[in-house]
Amino acid sequence: MGRRLWSERNDRKTGLPFNRMMIAGWVAALLAMAASTPLAAADPAPFELSGPALRIMVTRGDQTLPIGQVPSLSEGDRLAIRADLPQDQGARFILVAAFLRGATNPPPKDWVQFAETWKKKAKDRELELTVPKGARQMVLFLVPDTGGAEGTLSDAVRGKPGEFVRATQDLNQASLDRSRLDSFMAAIQAQENTHPEYLRTLAPVLARSLSMKLNEDCLSKVIEMQAACLLDNRESLVLTDVHSSSMAETLTGAPTDLALQLSATREAGYGYYSPYIGVARDIARIFGAFSNPEFDYLPTLSVRQGDAMHLLLNAAPSFQKPKSVMVVAMPAIEADSPPRLRSGAQGPVCAVRPDAVLPVEGAPLIYSTAYARDMKLAFRTASGDTIDVPVTPRADRGGYVLAANSGQFRTLQGSVRAHLHGKWGFNRFDGPDFTVQLPDEKGWSIEGDKPSLVVGRDNAVRLNGGAPACVESVTLRAPGGQAQSLGWKVTDNDSITVTLPLTERRAGPLELAVKYMGVAEPSILALRSYAEPSRLDGLTIHAGDRTATLTGQRLDQVDSVALGDLLLRPDGLTREGKSDRLMLKAIEGQALEPGRAMTAEVSLRDGRKVDLSVKVATPRPQIRLLGKTIVARPPGDEGKALILPPDTLLPDDGYMSFSVAVDGDVRLSPADVIEVATTDGGDMVRLTVGKALQMEGPHVLVARLDPSAFGPALFGPLQMRLLHNGEASDWQPLVTLVRLPRVDAVTCAKVAEGCTISGRDLFLIEAVGATATLDDAATVAHGYTGAVLKAPLPKAGKLYLRLRDAPGDVVMLPAG
């Protein structure tokens, strides 16, 4: 509904909205009655019509509360009930109260009491009742004055008590759900009138607090349309309050359509979706059995404010036969069962923050009703005293907020344990505990010894203090420089973690300022940063190699390493945990002999030099390719076979056998592995003994490479190396793996027209020519998707192809 429909005035008596929708509801209801349509057959109308009000006070022991603060009645409770009707009330109503004791046990006659609301004496027009022993439900009726109404109504209640038990349960629950809906709507409308741009943030918090069904799509609309969208289809907004629903756990997680269907059934009246959705239809079906020429039963929802129960109707009452009997549900007669509030705090809560909130979960009724009252936060001091501070529930904040004028807790400092408590109806109500913090005078300190801060990288620092939740700002400053604001994270109840950005800073003194909220002067911590040199753990180099590996920390500062006349420079840095690995590559000098003890001179980028002892390791294993045999699979019935060079190209539908030998004193073992990979460092396959690898003897391995066993990304030039006792040999070229196109036919015509190659995967061809040198060859465009290629006339019945996977080789295609 648009914003225009929410321009409304308030009914002077009840304070409830009176707008065009209400007028439309009255007119529709009157037309329906005029047409004599059975109530049970009609779709339920919304409860939007303002009815009369009742004034009810409940006394238990020596304490009296208005009905709006009473979640449930108890045996022995004393009730004072009167109808709040205008002075000029034209129709006379009989106020009827009936106690019920279950669906299968009719109540005694004296459990049904009457009062004539038009009488002058208070004792005649009001009801003074005591909840009898054994009563489980209570229902009120406003009955138009008609001869014999008392007897008819008493007989109906006592004749079928189960129907009224069910009606009372559903109407009472629906009224509570309506209270949550009203709270949601009021908060949305208030925000729309002040700051509609905040709805995107406010609406999810409200929906979570009040257990509402939020249409997330509404928040993506333009600001002016968000509120109207959020309030559309109000009857489907309300989700069951788990405190008052016995079936919630059974239906939680049910699909929406299933939950909606179940909510209208007798068994699932307290299902995942509120009975507010189907209550009108259900009550109409129940009361249809009592229809008679004298009375029709009209269900009402109650809006409980203080001692008033304002009634909402979903149809206009009739004062002609059949006259409307308004049915009013009272709270159940049962032991109070306060909700179990859970703390939603993710850490300590700062009591001095203007936006401080004590997040709670599990009870939407604390926001929409006055059942939870006199709520306070009890601070426990170090001396054992307790300071109670009033708190207010705020659905738009998702919890309780401290009263703005409560300052007595500000005498506390540091972390304080606090307990949420109050009243639920007549009984004590206990909520969760919270860790609440207030700034102290002790300031902040660095945990442990002063950290060794290294410029050129970010450094994490842990700070200890009494109230981390109350930190307002953290700034970093160098002498003579500008302050830089930093982010921080509350680590636990007495510390925060700050990351110091020293990437672009020079070494020298630093100041870290930590400021509490509400405290004028920050706590200043003096620090110093250093340009720490690299830590060198070791240098590994094998005899005969021109590469080496340097391990340690902060190796990004290494410029070069001199080892004898061998000069090495960085060729790639990796980090493994807290250790750096710097690969070095020789740019000049001779390879070293094994077993030689030497001193390496490591030069850093800032000009410093560090010596490191080194012992040249034994040579790494080296292999030689002894031979290889490439076998192409036989061509099928279709397609022409391509003729490949016998030793350089391996077709992807063939396989290859090759043998390698190790040099020197290396003796092979069954644990050795041959790795085959593309030269660009892409895919790799491992050939192990017993599968694709066999030992001819202690110095020779024979391998079989089958491309069909590998992934589709393995193509192009391949290389191999041996892994022996944790050491790897140098990479050696092996073969070029090529993917072959399928050529179905080669058709040649006149000289001017040349030939046509037809087939599949022709994009794998880079060029096609009539000679082996591919002079004047026809090139194939990248990403070619066609099934036909043009080619020159062959010479001696042959065409020549250059494949994309092997641009340095020529493949022959018979043209005959």
Side-chain angles (χ1 to χ4, degrees), residues 453-457 459 502-503 505-508 529-532 557:
L453 304 178
V454 181
V455 296
R457 62 182 66 183
N459 294 255
L502 304 182
T503 305
R505 288 185 177 268
R506 295 181 179 179
S529 62
Y530 302 89
E532 189 173 349
Q557 299 183 39

Side-chain angles (χ1 to χ4, degrees), residues 621-628 656 658-661 673-679 684-685 687 693 701 703 705 717-723 728-735:
Q622 298 299 326
I623 58 174
R624 291 177 292 108
L625 182 64
L626 294 180
K628 59 184 175 181
M656 181 181 75
F658 64 95
S659 59
V660 296
V673 174
I674 288 182
E675 292 183 338
V676 178
T678 55
T679 57
M684 176 186 293
V685 296
L687 307 179
L693 191 63
L701 291 171
L705 183 64
L718 302 182
Q719 57 186 354
M720 66 172 178
R721 70 177 180 181
L722 173 68
L723 296 183
S729 69
D730 291 331
W731 287 103
Q732 303 287 336
L734 179 61
V735 73

Side-chain angles (χ1 to χ4, degrees), residues 460-542:
V461 177
R462 187 180 178 107
L463 306 179
N464 294 332
C470 296
V471 172
E472 182 180 26
S473 65
V474 179
T475 56
L476 179 68
R477 183 196 305 269
Q482 293 184 344
Q484 179 182 0
S485 295
L486 304 181
W488 71 94
K489 180 180 179 181
V490 177
T491 309
D492 51 36
N493 290 344
D494 60 0
S495 65
I496 62 174
T497 299
V498 182
T499 298
L500 307 183
L502 304 182
T503 305
E504 304 296 333
R505 288 185 177 268
R506 295 181 179 179
L510 296 170
E511 283 187 355
L512 195 62
V514 183
K515 184 181 181 301
Y516 276 134
M517 182 167 294
V519 177
E521 296 298 327
S523 177
I524 305 297
L525 302 175
L527 300 171
R528 185 174 185 85
S529 62
Y530 302 89
E532 189 173 349
S534 300
R535 192 195 78 191
L536 307 179
D537 294 339
L539 178 68
T540 302
I541 186 169
H542 291 271

Side-chain angles (χ1 to χ4, degrees), residues 596-644:
R596 182 180 175 185
M598 307 179 67
T599 299
E601 185 181 70
V602 181
S603 300
L604 305 181
R605 298 186 187 279
D606 59 7
R608 289 174 292 178
K609 297 182 183 296
V610 182
D611 290 340
L612 183 65
S613 297
V614 179
K615 184 175 182 179
V616 181
T618 58
R620 290 183 297 112
Q622 298 299 326
I623 58 174
R624 291 177 292 108
L625 182 64
L626 294 180
K628 59 184 175 181
T629 302
I630 298 174
V631 179
R633 300 187 190 277
D637 296 336
E638 300 179 358
K640 303 178 76 62
L642 300 178
I643 301 174
L644 277 63

Side-chain angles (χ1 to χ4, degrees), residues 167-180:
T168 302
Q169 291 173 337
D170 280 359
L171 287 175
N172 185 53
Q173 179 63 38
S175 296
L176 296 178
D177 293 333
R178 174 62 185 244
S179 73
R180 293 189 284 132

